Amino acid sequence: MRKVLSILLCAFLLIPFIFNEKVDANAFTGNTYYVDSIDGNNANAGTSPDKAWKDLDGFANCPSPLKGGDTVLFRAGGTYECCVTLNDIKGTKEAPFTISSYGKGEKPVLRTDNADEVFTFIDCSYITVSDLQITAPNGGGIWIDTISSESIGITIDNVYFYGLPNGKVTNRDDFSRGAAGARAAVMVKGLPANSRYPVNDLTISNCEVYDSANGFMIWGSWNDQQNPWGGEKDPVYNTGVLVEGCYFHEMDAEAVVIGICDGALVTHCRAINTCQGEGLDENGNIQYFTAAMWFWGSENSTIQYCEIAGQKNYGDGMTVDFDSDSNNCTYQYIYSHDNMRFMCNNAKTVPQQNNTVRYCLSVNDNKGRSAMASGSGEDNFRFYNNTIINSGEIQFYHLTNSLIANNIFVAESGAPMNCTLSDEITAGNTYSNNCYYNTLTLMCDPLAMNTDPGFAAAELIEAYQLAINSPLIGKGMIIEDGLTTDFFGNEIVSNNIGCYMGEGEEPEVNTENIFEKLVRLLRNIMDRLMHEFNIIKRELEEMFAG
């Protein structure tokens, strides 16, 4: 896993700094070094902008090893070859080791042509990387790993990652060999991991990832054998992970994976046209699965206030995914649109517990079927106050002791809602105060409303607020969850069905009369019969073809 290091690394960066006595961290600020690829000179002292080094080789003249509290600044507008490993650099919260930029102009570009990372941080704490551009056409961005000690307090802020490998592949990326192996902007540890030491209090904020296969792959440790596909689960979770205000777009694969984390938060991010690899071979068989933002083996974590759109991966391509024994996790306030599907949850060995999806808006996620639960299933799953518009098939299988309430399901023409009545008898699930439109009511939810929801307008996101005369105003069940706003940011003042909880928006809309409703229900019955006929026809064709 060792790299071929620059003179900078050989001379200084592999030398750990050890404090022999207690230091007042508030008083210690460290040294600042400047690198200027435009006007710098490696014969300079490197201690001021007018005495900047030209490139990293200038550190050969550095009078002391780099340490926590030091700062390395790259001049804006320059380009710098960089393939750097930092071992055991220990900053503090008050005096981090900082890598950033200075001067006016475009953020400096740090790059490598190697099949390697621009930065690797091993057993490091309190490092801040900010205000840079990072590109590696044959490698990856930043790899954070632990071998012999915990990593804590690393911050990556306002970094633009672009031009990482982004071409078509025939299988999932390798998450076990760092950011380069995964074609990722940031890789934390790996799957499987190299150690049981976590990466805690990691913050990635205000970053952009463009034209790269993967974004932020964040992994803890699954068990002592480091074998996530076998043996007992005995995780060491990463804690305090925050991903905030980031934008991912035009990517072959995934934006954010929250793997083996406890208490992680992904908030106010956008993933647009990620998962562009369809994952099919020439015969239409699925080769691999990718999704934009998802949980893997995590606990007590949340993805919220995010927009996820344009996923094309045929096997997955969904917005909501609780995977591989993720428990007590939540998606909320998500705007999902034009994806392969909205949701497909997949427990690994036992039913996942206490996961929640609430106050989400899904529009045109209809290229494939959505599944509330698959694999070992979901127990005490809570799916409420969501608005699902123009969906494909939704399967309500493998649920136990779960709540499905206050949701609007508007189906694409002919798309069914499916459950198994015999399983529902013993499942202990509660279906309450839902609304179905353009499809037959779910068989296990017979008391639901089947009516035009009465949206206030058309086309725009705001369309899916309810009109003042909507039949769904005030018709939801009360759910005490401590939330104070709905999907649209309105204060919750009414118990409605759907993700809008106001008192209704102008103008009033036309509502169905009894004749229109009967015609629509007859059409829904015919659509369902045609759907079942096509399934039987396809199965017979496959049987005779085989």
Side-chain angles (χ1 to χ4, degrees):
M1 190 180 68
R2 298 284 181 173
K3 303 174 184 287
V4 177
L5 305 178
S6 67
I7 295 176
L8 164 65
L9 304 179
C10 295
F12 301 108
L13 298 185
L14 295 180
I15 303 174
F17 183 79
I18 302 173
F19 288 98
N20 294 317
E21 58 183 357
K22 187 174 181 179
V23 175
D24 182 354
N26 291 308
F28 177 68
T29 57
N31 301 311
T32 300
Y33 302 100
Y34 297 83
V35 187
D36 176 1
S37 66
I38 302 170
D39 295 320
N41 189 319
N42 287 340
N44 289 338
T47 54
S48 65
D50 60 348
K51 297 179 181 179
W53 293 314
K54 186 173 185 61
D55 53 38
L56 296 184
D57 288 347
F59 280 86
N61 299 320
C62 187
S64 64
L66 292 174
K67 56 191 178 298
D70 285 349
T71 298
V72 178
L73 299 178
F74 295 87
R75 180 179 169 180
T79 298
Y80 306 86
E81 294 299 318
C82 186
C83 184
V84 168
T85 294
L86 301 183
N87 275 34
D88 204 34
I89 294 290
K90 303 292 189 184
T92 67
K93 186 174 183 179
E94 296 79 10
F97 181 88
T98 300
I99 304 169
S100 191
S101 64
Y102 74 99
K104 297 180 180 179
E106 293 289 326
K107 290 192 287 286
V109 176
L110 276 59
R111 67 178 311 281
T112 181
D113 284 323
N114 297 342
D116 216 328
E117 290 77 26
V118 172
F119 287 116
T120 299
F121 303 143
I122 299 176
D123 296 338
C124 293
S125 289
Y126 291 106
I127 290 180
T128 296
V129 180
S130 66
D131 302 309
L132 303 171
Q133 301 185 69
I134 289 179
T135 184
N138 301 304
I142 299 174
W143 184 12
I144 303 167
D145 204 359
T146 57
I147 302 300
S148 58
S149 66
E150 168 192 6
S151 170
I152 186 169
I154 290 179
T155 296
I156 303 169
D157 179 64
N158 193 28
V159 176
Y160 176 41
F161 298 89
Y162 71 97
L164 306 179
N166 195 32
K168 184 176 181 180
V169 296
T170 57
N171 52 270
R172 292 202 69 152
D173 290 296
D174 184 354
F175 295 150
S176 68
R177 295 186 298 109
R183 306 186 299 162
V186 177
M187 171 63 76
V188 175
K189 294 174 67 71
L191 187 72
N194 290 311
S195 78
R196 299 277 284 168
Y197 296 101
V199 174
N200 294 332
D201 295 339
L202 168 71
T203 297
I204 308 176
S205 56
N206 307 310
C207 293
E208 181 177 353
V209 183
Y210 166 72
D211 188 22
S212 303
N214 286 291
F216 308 150
M217 310 287 103
I218 302 172
W219 301 101
S221 302
W222 182 259
N223 55 26
D224 284 329
Q225 292 76 35
Q226 298 302 337
N227 180 6
W229 298 276
E232 293 294 323
K233 179 182 179 182
D234 180 24
V236 174
Y237 297 107
N238 300 326
T239 63
V241 171
L242 172 63
V243 179
E244 182 176 24
C246 296
Y247 177 31
F248 311 85
H249 58 119
E250 317 313 320
M251 295 167 59
D252 183 63
E254 299 165 323
V256 181
V257 179
I258 299 298
I260 323 175
C261 294
D262 190 350
L265 175 62
V266 179
T267 186
H268 293 89
C269 294
R270 301 178 70 215
I272 310 299
N273 295 335
T274 63
C275 301
Q276 295 302 286
E278 295 181 352
L280 299 175
D281 65 16
E282 63 274 12
N283 298 315
N285 298 314
I286 298 174
Q287 296 176 303
Y288 61 89
F289 302 82
T290 59
M293 298 184 186
W294 52 289
F295 301 107
W296 196 101
S298 287
E299 300 277 340
N300 307 305
S301 297
T302 300
I303 297 175
Q304 65 177 16
Y305 299 109
C306 293
E307 180 183 4
I308 301 174
Q311 298 178 83
K312 294 180 180 179
N313 183 262
Y314 190 85
D316 277 353
M318 63 278 198
T319 291
V320 173
D321 182 13
F322 304 103
D323 205 325
S324 296
D325 300 345
S326 290
N327 303 294
N328 304 295
C329 293
T330 299
Y331 286 88
Q332 61 187 15
Y333 305 112
I334 304 297
Y335 178 35
S336 170
H337 60 98
D338 303 293
N339 297 296
M340 182 61 60
R341 67 198 83 235
F342 175 61
M343 176 170 56
C344 189
N345 301 317
N346 185 26
K348 179 178 171 63
T349 57
V350 296
Q352 298 176 144
Q353 302 286 326
N354 308 319
N355 292 319
T356 299
V357 180
R358 59 191 178 191
Y359 291 100
C360 296
L361 173 61
S362 164
V363 182
N364 298 331
D365 296 328
N366 56 19
K367 308 301 186 299
R369 60 105 182 97
S370 287
M372 293 276 177
S374 60
S376 299
E378 295 281 337
D379 185 64
N380 197 30
F381 182 57
R382 292 164 64 82
F383 187 90
Y384 64 89
N385 284 103
N386 302 290
T387 298
I388 313 298
I389 304 297
N390 201 29
S391 74
E393 176 184 355
I394 300 179
Q395 296 180 347
F396 296 75
Y397 303 145
H398 310 295
L399 296 172
T400 55
N401 306 309
S402 295
L403 174 67
I404 313 296
N406 296 352
N407 302 293
I408 299 172
F409 298 103
V410 179
E412 183 183 41
S413 180
M417 308 285 139
N418 283 321
C419 68
T420 303
L421 284 175
S422 59
D423 291 341
E424 288 292 332
I425 292 172
T426 59
N429 297 322
T430 298
Y431 295 83
S432 182
N433 301 68
N434 296 299
C435 173
Y436 300 85
Y437 186 68
N438 207 33
T439 187
L440 296 178
T441 299
L442 189 68
M443 289 186 294
C444 55
D445 193 10
L447 300 181
M449 301 175 71
N450 196 306
T451 186
D452 185 336
F455 294 123
E459 301 302 328
L460 301 177
I461 295 178
E462 290 75 12
Y464 304 111
Q465 299 183 91
L466 299 176
I468 197 167
N469 64 327
S470 164
L472 308 188
I473 297 290
K475 297 301 176 62
M477 71 177 291
I478 297 174
I479 300 175
E480 300 292 344
D481 56 15
L483 299 181
T484 59
T485 57
D486 66 10
F487 169 84
F488 301 96
N490 302 312
E491 181 182 359
I492 294 176
V493 296
S494 179
N495 293 311
N496 303 335
I497 299 174
C499 66
Y500 168 81
M501 298 290 273
E503 295 178 335
E505 303 294 319
E506 296 286 359
E508 293 188 1
V509 296
N510 294 327
T511 56
E512 291 180 302
N513 59 42
I514 187 65
F515 175 75
E516 291 170 328
K517 186 170 185 176
L518 286 173
V519 169
R520 176 175 57 80
L521 291 175
L522 286 172
R523 186 178 69 248
N524 294 160
I525 291 171
M526 294 302 297
D527 286 343
R528 181 61 189 254
L529 290 174
M530 183 60 67
H531 174 80
E532 298 299 329
F533 171 78
N534 288 332
I535 290 175
I536 294 171
K537 179 182 177 183
R538 184 168 61 250
E539 290 176 346
L540 289 172
E541 289 173 346
E542 291 174 354
M543 182 176 66
F544 285 114

